[in-house]
Structures are given as structure tokens and as C-alpha cells.
Amino acid sequence: MKQASFYSPIDNEKIQCELCPRNCQIPTGKSGFCNIRFHQDGKLIATNYGQVAALALDPVEKKPLYHFYPGRMILSVGTVGCNLACEFCQNWQISREPGALTREVTPEELVKLALETQREYGNLGLAYTYSEPGVWYEFLLDTMPLIHEAGMKNVLVTNAFLNARPWAELLKWTDAANIDLKGFQPEYYRQWCHGWLQPVLDNIQTAAGRIHLEITTLLVPGENDDPGQLEALARWIAALDPDIPLHLSRYFPNYKLDRPPTSETSLQQAYRIAREYLNYVYLGNVGAPNETACPKCGTVLVKRNGYQVKVLAKSSCPGCGGPISYLMED
């Protein structure tokens, strides 16, 4: 446990957490919505500091990041807790349910492990993922600078549901992020994620151009897969940068939502709509190859079959000589 950042007293009984847009007013002896930040004797305590619920060496494509050092591995780590409550959550056992098993790890121990896996497997650095890394804020701020000192990369896989000041501080140490943009209607966020859309859009705008950015949207049948909503989403991303990769992921029943999986027909329709505006669109959870092709001439630059990756070009497109949109080296 560690004293949390970003909070202020309200009165003798409550303090206000200011990490995310909920701005929870927390009575003594209680936690905020995330189940992590706890009011103890007038102080806000981050109860998940150093608590690791999941740790694995993953392909960077699994984050998913397709344009950030394709074919490389990255050490992935996650804690417990989340500041959203998506009814379709894929990692609900550690994000929303209390009592998940964890083990304590210091920032220094994690960096040491990252360096060991770098020597043996070519590890890029650390990806903070599985549950929402934003609620692990204090641990991230102690770990991310050490990763940079060791010459490695920091990756966030995040819902980006944070207030502007803590988000800006995280971005100082972030090299790449995949942001989970749940949908493009405020009602969808309120009903199915129990959060708000606008802070996420604001944080995506802040990140665009500052770090390597990719976006994922899970398509839930009958909710956020409407063609008009998908077109609006793609147009909005394209206005930031049409080279931002968009991952359209297939929904499967999980947690509190048990409707049938997204049809492949719906996914293909969503793909066609997004490609009208974006240069790089990928389909997830379908098992199909996801090649990266030059948007100008169609030459395949990266072949993928699952997590088997073959990079065919590293500096420029062999077909037309155009620039490559993905990062291969510093």
C-alpha cells in the first residue's frame, strides 16, 4: 500500500479522489468505485501498490499493437481493479471482483525481470495491461522512469478514463498505448460501461502525436456496431491522423452480457466502413490473417498469421517507396 496521488479533503468524514472523472467522494473506511483507492484516517491509500495479478511475456501484437516493433515480445503485467464496469469485461475476475490473488513486486524487481527477458527473448520493455493500469497510478509512476533508465519501452493498454492532469503525467513516460474506445455514443458508455465518453475522447486527442497510438473497439451486436456510429468513429480518428491503426474486435459472451457473438458479416461491414477513412484497420478475435499493407500501392509490408509475424520491409515500401507507418527501431 502507498499514499495515493490526486485527492483532496472535503470535510472530516470524506475525501475526494481526483484521479479519474468519477471524482469519488469517499467516506472513512471505504473505497472508491475502483475498489482500490481507500480512505484511511484522512488519507487516500492505493491498496494495489505493487500487487501483481497477472504477468506474462507476450507478443506485442497481443496488446494489440501492430505498428509498434512488430514481431517483438514485451513483458506484460497487470494488477487488480478498474474505474469502469463494462458489462462485457473480458478480465472481470481481476478488474471488478474482489479477492483476486496477487503477489507483491517492487518496481526494481519488475525492471530486473524486464532486463532478464530482454537479454533472453529480446523483450521491448513493460506493458501495463490485463486490468486498467490507470488505477495502478502510483506504481506506474515509480516504475516507468526506471524502465526508461534501463533503455526499454513503456506501453499502456488502457481505457484512458482519467482526469487530464494524471493522464498528462503518465504520457511523459509512455512510448505507446492501445486505448480501448468502447464506442462512440455517450449513451453506450453510460449504459454498458458505467462511465463517460468525453474524457476518453479528450485523452485520445492529448495522446495523438505525442506517443505511438493505436485504438481498439469491441463490437457488441446491436449496441455499438451501427454503421452510422462506426462511420462517425472512423471519421473522428481520421481527423486526428488517418494512420492511427484501428482494431475492430469481435465480442464473445462474458461477465454480465450473454448475447451471441458478433457475426463475421458485421465485422466485415465495420471493416469496410472504417477503411473509407483510415489507412490501417484490423479485425480481432476472428482468427484471420491481419496483414499490414501499404495504403498507397497495397504491397504487403508485414504478414501475420495469429501471432506469427514476418516483417517484409523495414524502412520504406518496396512497391512504391512510400514511408512505413510502423516503428522498427529507435
Side-chain angles (χ1 to χ4, degrees), residues 43 54 65-66 86 107 111 135 138 142 145 162 165 206 222 277 293 311:
K43 295 180 180 179
L65 289 172
Y66 278 15
C86 299
V111 173
V135 301
E138 291 73 23
D142 286 346
L162 289 180
R165 282 182 56 217
T206 301
Y277 303 96
V311 178

Side-chain angles (χ1 to χ4, degrees), residues 264-316:
E264 295 200 24
T265 300
S266 178
L267 282 168
Q268 291 295 338
Q269 179 188 47
Y271 175 88
R272 289 191 295 270
I273 292 170
R275 278 289 285 121
E276 290 290 323
Y277 303 96
L278 299 170
N279 290 327
Y280 304 100
V281 181
Y282 302 100
L283 296 181
N285 289 343
V286 292
N290 266 317
E291 296 176 337
T292 296
C294 175
K296 291 184 178 180
C297 70
T299 299
V300 175
L301 306 174
V302 182
K303 283 188 174 182
R304 297 183 184 87
N305 187 3
Y307 297 125
Q308 294 181 336
V309 180
K310 186 175 183 180
V311 178
L312 303 177
K314 295 185 178 181
S315 56
S316 61

Side-chain angles (χ1 to χ4, degrees), residues 40-258:
Q40 178 178 298
D41 300 326
K43 295 180 180 179
L44 190 63
I45 304 299
T47 60
N48 64 347
Y49 186 90
Q51 298 301 311
V52 171
L55 180 68
L57 187 66
D58 288 333
V60 72
E61 282 80 10
K62 196 174 181 180
K63 301 306 99 190
L65 289 172
Y66 278 15
H67 289 223
F68 188 72
Y69 299 88
R72 296 284 297 276
M73 303 294 286
I74 190 161
L75 187 63
S76 302
V77 61
T79 188
V80 291
C82 188
N83 54 358
L84 292 179
C86 299
E87 307 252 335
F88 44 79
C89 181
Q90 306 294 295
N91 291 314
W92 58 270
Q93 295 92 338
I94 61 174
S95 66
R96 293 307 309 167
E97 295 297 309
L101 294 177
T102 63
R103 62 187 179 99
E104 189 167 357
V105 178
T106 68
E108 292 77 13
E109 289 169 340
L110 205 50
V111 173
K112 181 181 178 182
L113 182 57
L115 283 168
E116 291 171 355
T117 51
Q118 181 188 57
R119 289 189 291 269
E120 191 167 355
Y121 302 104
N123 170 37
L124 276 171
L126 275 182
Y128 311 91
T129 179
Y130 303 130
S131 65
E132 172 48 44
V135 301
W136 215 11
Y137 187 84
E138 291 73 23
F139 188 75
L140 264 60
L141 261 290
D142 286 346
T143 305
M144 295 171 86
L146 299 181
I147 286 291
H148 275 184
E149 288 176 17
M152 293 182 292
K153 307 296 184 185
N154 287 305
V155 168
L156 292 178
V157 182
T158 176
N159 61 31
F161 191 64
L162 289 180
N163 284 331
R165 282 182 56 217
W167 178 248
E169 189 65 28
L170 273 187
L171 289 183
K172 292 178 183 178
W173 305 104
T174 301
D175 299 290
N178 186 297
I179 294 178
D180 196 355
L181 179 55
K182 311 287 183 177
F184 208 65
Q185 291 183 341
E187 296 81 5
Y188 180 81
Y189 260 80
R190 284 196 295 269
Q191 180 178 357
W192 297 107
C193 306
H194 303 279
W196 304 283
L197 170 62
Q198 192 58 51
V200 179
L201 297 181
D202 293 343
N203 286 339
I204 291 174
Q205 288 180 305
T206 301
R210 295 181 60 178
I211 63 171
H212 175 79
L213 177 63
E214 304 191 22
I215 293 172
T216 293
T217 299
L218 182 76
L219 297 183
V220 179
E223 297 299 339
N224 67 343
D225 59 348
D226 173 77
Q229 186 180 165
L230 291 169
E231 181 179 4
L233 183 149
R235 287 169 64 97
W236 184 84
I237 296 172
L240 298 176
D241 183 351
D243 281 345
I244 294 175
L246 173 62
H247 302 261
L248 298 170
S249 192
R250 188 183 190 190
Y251 152 86
F252 286 95
N254 215 326
Y255 197 30
K256 297 181 179 180
L257 198 59
D258 61 356

Side-chain angles (χ1 to χ4, degrees), residues 1-4 36-40 43-47:
M1 295 192 294
K2 184 172 183 175
Q3 186 170 343
I36 293 304
R37 301 169 85 75
F38 182 80
H39 182 180
Q40 178 178 298
K43 295 180 180 179
L44 190 63
I45 304 299
T47 60

